[in-house]
Amino acid sequence: LEDICKSASWDIITFQEYSGNWHAWQWPDTEKGYFAKMFDNINACLTKPVTYYYLLTQAFYDMDKLRGANATHKTWEQHDTKAMFDVIAANGRKVMADFPAFKGIVSTGAAVENLRTTNLMNSEWGLSRDGYHLDYGVSRCAAACTFFETVITPLRNKKLDNNGFTFTYSGTDYFH
């Protein structure tokens, strides 16, 4: 961590939530202690102040579909999509409350959840490749746009409005 910290003059540092099984979202004192230690270690080796963001990236889909699939990740079997997202979002709020050093949350997971309420939700995997990982199309594009607008726009005053890039999809490349 120290080598990475000293390898550049950082403006922004992001932390991403743990994505293992549902037990990981309980935010015990031991995890809070690990976060505090990470902040201490990073701040000790920085040469200037940085802005911290917390990445809330998870937006798991229907785990019932994975029970019969050949997926290796089967850690949320007891939860439906909404229940999983509610637990993940609640954990993000706990992290923000306990660590005011974070300027904000970059919730690419919420962006994907919102996309699932639109006509773009045309995949049995909920805009993912396998129920866990973003598809290679619109959900990855949405995640990138969410990060840009949350982190880069305030820093550089650049927005994606009137951006000439448009996403097109052809064949199965959209999902795989």
Side-chain angles (χ1 to χ4, degrees):
L1 185 59
E2 184 177 351
D3 290 343
I4 294 167
C5 188
K6 291 180 177 180
S7 69
S9 178
W10 302 101
D11 296 317
I12 296 168
I13 295 176
T14 61
F15 288 67
Q16 182 173 334
E17 90 286 12
Y18 175 74
S19 62
N21 63 43
W22 69 274
H23 296 287
W25 302 97
Q26 295 179 355
W27 195 233
D29 287 340
T30 53
E31 192 168 345
K32 291 178 202 174
Y34 295 142
F35 260 70
K37 183 70 171 163
M38 254 192 314
F39 272 113
D40 289 347
N41 289 342
I42 291 170
N43 287 327
C45 65
L46 291 173
T47 58
K48 66 177 187 174
V50 299
T51 301
Y52 291 101
Y53 283 94
Y54 186 66
L55 302 177
L56 199 62
T57 62
Q58 303 307 317
F60 299 118
Y61 196 55
D62 184 351
M63 296 298 105
D64 286 333
K65 291 184 178 294
L66 292 180
R67 284 193 188 128
N70 292 326
T72 58
H73 301 39
K74 296 183 182 183
T75 57
W76 285 83
E77 281 104 354
Q78 308 306 317
H79 301 279
D80 65 17
T81 302
K82 182 180 180 333
M84 288 183 285
F85 188 77
D86 288 348
V87 168
I88 292 165
N91 192 63
R93 287 189 292 276
K94 291 174 191 173
V95 170
M96 294 299 291
D98 288 341
F99 289 93
F102 285 116
K103 181 174 182 176
I105 290 178
V106 181
S107 188
T108 58
V112 173
E113 285 297 308
N114 289 335
L115 279 174
R116 289 177 176 152
T117 67
T118 72
N119 65 352
L120 294 172
M121 173 57 175
N122 61 357
S123 162
E124 67 176 317
W125 294 109
L127 298 172
S128 74
R129 300 188 306 271
D130 54 10
Y132 291 94
H133 302 97
L134 297 177
D135 67 27
Y136 291 121
V138 69
S139 62
R140 275 205 177 174
C141 183
C145 291
T146 300
F147 187 90
F148 189 96
E149 289 282 340
T150 305
V151 176
I152 305 303
T153 295
L155 184 67
R156 300 285 185 225
N157 200 28
K158 301 289 183 187
K159 294 185 67 67
L160 294 173
D161 299 350
N162 300 316
N163 183 333
F165 176 79
T166 57
F167 174 79
T168 58
Y169 115 77
S170 62
T172 60
D173 291 339
Y174 177 75
F175 298 109
H176 307 291

